[in-house]
Amino acid sequence: MYREPLHEGRKEKFSLGKKGEGLGYFLFRELRLSRIAFGGYRIGLEDPEHKESLLLALKSGVNVIDVSANYGDGEAESLVGKVLDENFKKRHLHRKEIFLVTKAGYIQGKNMKLVESKEKEKDQFPEITYYQPGCYHCISPEFLEDQLERSRKRLGLATIDAFLLHNPEYFLSHSEKNGIPKEEAQAEYYRRIKEAFLFLEKARKEGKIQFYGISSNTFPIPEEEYTHTSLSKCLQIAEKIAGKENGFAVVQFPANWYEDGFLRNRNSENKTLLEICSNFDLLPLINRPLNSFQAGKGMVRLSYTPQSQAPDQSKILQILELESSLLEPLSQNPNRNSLSKLWQTYGEKVRSEEQFQVLLQKSWIPALRGVIDEVYSEKGKESAEEYLRVLNTALPLLEEQIQIRSSENLSGLYENLVSRFHSNGESPESLSSLMVFHLASLLEKGTVLLGMRKRKYVRDILPIFKKPLPEISRSEWGENGIRS
């Protein structure tokens, strides 16, 4: 969804006449930014809850939004653009208050169709990394220019506050997989980054972006690893292009309780990633604060609330029995995958909400659509609508069951951290908000990106605007974690 005309303006400097930065905020290059950002990884236009969650976050004080051209195949940007447009016109929000971050680099979905179309016309984007079927990558100036214009139109903004290269290390991963010598691959990698920076400096002069940067999962990993992205080298490239006043200002990377490379790993100059950000006045944006990789266990979702109660099992049984009664009159079909059958077969094997969502999207929902079609064909529209209502009641109950199950082993971590750092009784009410509080404290000046596609996720973190951050020693963070 493209918007015209574009809203002019950008995030403005904080008025010196106002007192302090306020709880939940910090100053970055005289811009007042919230310590928590609305992460748009899994939002889209089709779900009204996503819109309501974004509105609640903005009204509650969040003024940093993070999206990407490939989130929801462009729908995340379109939803943010729709919400901002409506609220700018009503004067509920002002453009100068919002710091908007988006990213480019992925070729998937609509971008894949664009690339295929340009291939047929012999007008291909240069330097595409053909990583795997369905997922290519590119940071050539030609591709970035195309993506920047599409993002501006979807967001409805003349100026994007921070435009980032999105996981450019795909090139290194692909090169390593294909046996390219490390030195050769890295030389080409930084040449491509240089060409991208040249374009981004041009876009900055044209007023299309305020700052630029890189979002990379390999900033925090050890310098000697093949796919490591060197922040120091990126800084040197930007300075050679545009001097000390260059626009390279934003660095996005994963950090959480178990993945602590951003604090531990040091470069050849004995500096950590966080120290480099501080020394060069760069804005660190933390992603994946709750999706934590733990050695031997895989992905661990750092979400736990002491008051959580497992959903009433009788309700789950009741709704699944109702499904069975609705399907009983249908003709026999041994291949029919009802929700009851799917849950009985796979339910106990699902250990996380993320795993459940993937299973839903890739397997269960397509199967259940087939069942809906069967009901419609044999019993009519009213029966199909009734069956759909049953599914819409059952799925949230099953998701809640998965959430409770996945958090059972985290009570000890939550209680331990509360007793050590929140003995005054001012502790966050959940492990997720506690993790964000602690990360924000470690950053000092930086923002934690949190997926807030549901209003309850927004409410969970709102105390950050009312309570002071705890004092956390960097030596104590991630004591039981891994060294990235």
Side-chain angles (χ1 to χ4, degrees), residues 169-199:
E169 69 272 13
Y170 267 89
F171 172 79
L172 292 176
S173 298
H174 184 68
S175 298
E176 184 178 32
K177 186 171 61 176
N178 286 281
I180 306 298
K182 176 182 173 183
E183 294 75 14
E184 179 183 334
Q186 290 191 340
E188 174 62 13
Y189 181 54
Y190 293 109
R191 185 198 66 79
R192 293 188 179 198
I193 287 177
K194 177 184 176 181
E195 293 301 314
F197 282 9
L198 283 166
F199 164 73

Side-chain angles (χ1 to χ4, degrees), residues 304 306 410-421 431 434:
Y304 167 76
L410 295 170
S411 60
L413 175 61
Y414 172 77
E415 290 163 6
N416 177 270
L417 293 174
V418 167
S419 66
R420 285 165 57 190
F421 302 114
L431 179 63
L434 184 147

Side-chain angles (χ1 to χ4, degrees), residues 114-283:
L114 172 66
V115 165
E116 291 170 350
S117 173
K118 289 179 76 66
E119 280 181 344
K120 291 178 182 178
E121 298 171 2
K122 308 296 182 182
D123 183 32
Q124 183 58 285
F125 294 117
E127 300 180 349
I128 292 177
T129 297
Y130 296 92
Y131 186 72
Q132 65 185 27
C135 181
Y136 303 163
H137 200 275
C138 186
I139 59 168
S140 72
E142 293 86 347
F143 182 70
L144 293 177
E145 182 174 25
D146 174 272
Q147 295 296 286
L148 176 57
E149 292 309 305
R150 293 174 189 273
S151 291
R152 291 171 70 230
K153 290 177 182 177
R154 282 192 290 257
L155 292 163
L157 303 178
T159 303
I160 290 173
D161 297 296
F163 188 77
L164 313 184
L165 307 182
H166 198 179
N167 297 136
E169 69 272 13
Y170 267 89
F171 172 79
L172 292 176
S173 298
H174 184 68
S175 298
E176 184 178 32
K177 186 171 61 176
N178 286 281
I180 306 298
K182 176 182 173 183
E183 294 75 14
E184 179 183 334
Q186 290 191 340
E188 174 62 13
Y189 181 54
Y190 293 109
R191 185 198 66 79
R192 293 188 179 198
I193 287 177
K194 177 184 176 181
E195 293 301 314
F197 282 9
L198 283 166
F199 164 73
L200 294 171
E201 284 291 347
K202 175 175 173 288
R204 184 167 168 253
K205 290 177 181 176
E206 293 171 348
K208 294 180 179 179
I209 62 175
Q210 185 171 7
F211 301 112
Y212 62 88
I214 295 177
S215 173
S216 174
N217 291 331
T218 63
F219 274 132
I221 71 174
E223 191 174 54
E224 62 271 15
E225 291 198 17
Y226 192 111
T227 59
H228 171 74
T229 299
S230 170
L231 179 53
S232 296
K233 287 183 180 178
C234 294
L235 280 163
Q236 292 167 11
I237 291 170
E239 187 170 335
K240 284 182 180 178
I241 291 172
K244 298 285 187 182
E245 301 303 315
N246 65 79
F248 181 70
V250 182
V251 185
Q252 187 174 137
F253 52 88
N256 50 62
W257 180 252
Y258 292 109
E259 295 174 271
D260 56 6
F262 72 113
L263 283 177
R264 311 288 182 221
N265 294 327
R266 296 183 176 274
N267 66 5
S268 56
E269 298 172 345
N270 199 35
K271 299 295 183 184
T272 67
L273 183 57
L274 218 52
E275 287 169 347
I276 298 171
C277 288
S278 178
N279 291 345
F280 289 88
D281 197 20
L282 303 175
L283 174 64

Side-chain angles (χ1 to χ4, degrees), residues 75-144:
E75 276 205 10
E77 288 184 332
S78 294
L79 175 63
V80 170
K82 177 181 176 64
V83 170
L84 292 181
D85 180 59
E86 291 175 356
N87 283 271
F88 289 163
K89 288 177 178 176
K90 295 176 182 176
R91 299 189 181 279
H92 293 168
L93 292 171
H94 298 283
R95 174 65 186 96
K96 64 183 180 181
E97 300 170 336
I98 305 299
F99 191 83
L100 195 292
V101 182
T102 194
K103 306 179 281 288
Y106 280 88
I107 297 174
Q108 296 173 301
K110 294 174 184 174
N111 275 340
M112 185 66 75
K113 292 179 181 178
L114 172 66
V115 165
E116 291 170 350
S117 173
K118 289 179 76 66
E119 280 181 344
K120 291 178 182 178
E121 298 171 2
K122 308 296 182 182
D123 183 32
Q124 183 58 285
F125 294 117
E127 300 180 349
I128 292 177
T129 297
Y130 296 92
Y131 186 72
Q132 65 185 27
C135 181
Y136 303 163
H137 200 275
C138 186
I139 59 168
S140 72
E142 293 86 347
F143 182 70
L144 293 177

